[in-house]
Amino acid sequence: MATSGLQILGFFLSLVGIAATIAAMVMVEWKKTAQGKYRSYEGFWMSCTAAQHRATCESYQSILKVQTEIQVTRAVLLVSLILSALAILVSTVGMKCTHFMDDAAESKSNTAMMGGIMFILSGLLTIIITSWFVKTIIQSSYNSIHMIRPEFGNAPFVSWIGGLLTAVGGCFLSCRRCWRSKATGSINVRHLIPTNKPKADYV
């Protein structure tokens, strides 16, 4: 089985990944455009206009006025965070360092593995939707006939890192099945050698 330290490491990595995903959602630099000295940024909750080291931000009055790629990415990332929250609860119950379900070791082990799988799904969901958003921005930039071309900002990079850390942490949590197979497969060789030697003939 995986050691308690390996589970704690995976849980910690997943928490850091979730924090990075939350930070990316708060950031406004998801989509940016530049025109001369003016730069405009669009995030999930507000848009900002910067000029000469001064920025003015406004919250969206209605989510329906936000562009489609921002609406879809925001919704999927929220689903990913909800899945991560459930994974935290499930993993906490199943980890060896906690005292939940101590009387049912097999069920506790399976619970921790389910939490790790949920972390993996959450991280993959974050990576996929972020990649789709970046692809959409790049395509719209190539198809734009105006001088102002949209670009993706720094927030997608933070989101990618968050999704990767969450998925890697989930792999550590759910990898104990591999450790178990190794532990059960490594049988002591001495038990395989017959100990009953043929008795020698005595005169």
Side-chain angles (χ1 to χ4, degrees), residues 146-163:
H146 303 285
M147 295 298 294
I148 304 176
R149 294 179 178 273
E151 300 176 353
F152 61 92
N154 297 325
F157 294 101
V158 180
S159 183
W160 272 324
I161 294 173

Side-chain angles (χ1 to χ4, degrees), residues 40-56:
S40 61
Y41 301 91
E42 295 181 34
F44 294 149
W45 318 105
M46 65 179 61
S47 61
C48 296
T49 302
Q52 297 179 353
H53 306 288
R54 303 177 99 182
T56 303

Side-chain angles (χ1 to χ4, degrees), residues 5-200:
L6 185 66
Q7 288 183 340
I8 294 175
L9 175 61
F11 190 76
F12 176 75
L13 287 177
S14 296
L15 290 181
V16 174
I18 294 171
T21 304
I22 295 175
M25 291 193 65
V26 176
M27 293 175 65
V28 74
E29 296 184 10
W30 277 88
K31 183 179 180 180
K32 65 179 181 180
T33 54
Q35 184 179 13
K37 297 181 180 180
Y38 295 91
R39 293 180 177 272
S40 61
Y41 301 91
E42 295 181 34
F44 294 149
W45 318 105
M46 65 179 61
S47 61
C48 296
T49 302
Q52 297 179 353
H53 306 288
R54 303 177 99 182
T56 303
C57 298
E58 294 182 358
S59 301
Y60 297 131
Q61 300 297 326
S62 174
I63 60 174
L64 299 178
K65 295 182 180 180
V66 185
Q67 296 183 2
T68 304
E69 61 269 15
I70 293 181
Q71 292 185 26
V72 174
T73 307
R74 175 175 57 185
V76 176
L77 285 180
L78 286 175
V79 173
S80 174
L81 289 177
I82 293 174
L83 184 60
S84 294
L86 294 176
I88 291 175
L89 297 177
V90 175
S91 300
T92 302
V93 173
M95 290 174 63
K96 291 182 178 180
C97 59
T98 61
H99 296 288
F100 300 101
M101 302 173 62
D102 285 340
D103 54 343
E106 185 65 23
S107 299
K108 185 179 179 72
S109 178
N110 292 332
T111 302
M113 184 181 67
M114 288 180 58
I117 293 175
M118 293 171 68
F119 275 129
I120 295 174
L121 293 177
S122 175
L124 291 178
L125 198 61
T126 300
I127 294 173
I128 291 172
I129 193 60
T130 305
S131 301
W132 175 83
F133 175 85
V134 171
K135 179 182 177 181
T136 303
I137 298 301
I138 293 175
Q139 288 180 346
S140 62
S141 177
Y142 287 154
N143 298 331
S144 178
I145 60 176
H146 303 285
M147 295 298 294
I148 304 176
R149 294 179 178 273
E151 300 176 353
F152 61 92
N154 297 325
F157 294 101
V158 180
S159 183
W160 272 324
I161 294 173
L164 181 61
L165 290 177
T166 303
V168 171
C171 289
F172 281 122
L173 278 170
S174 60
C175 186
R176 82 186 170 285
R177 285 293 183 182
C178 304
W179 285 70
R180 172 178 294 183
S181 60
K182 291 179 181 180
T184 56
S186 57
I187 304 176
N188 195 338
V189 180
R190 290 180 297 178
H191 294 291
L192 300 178
I193 300 177
T195 55
N196 296 327
K197 297 181 179 179
K199 297 182 178 180

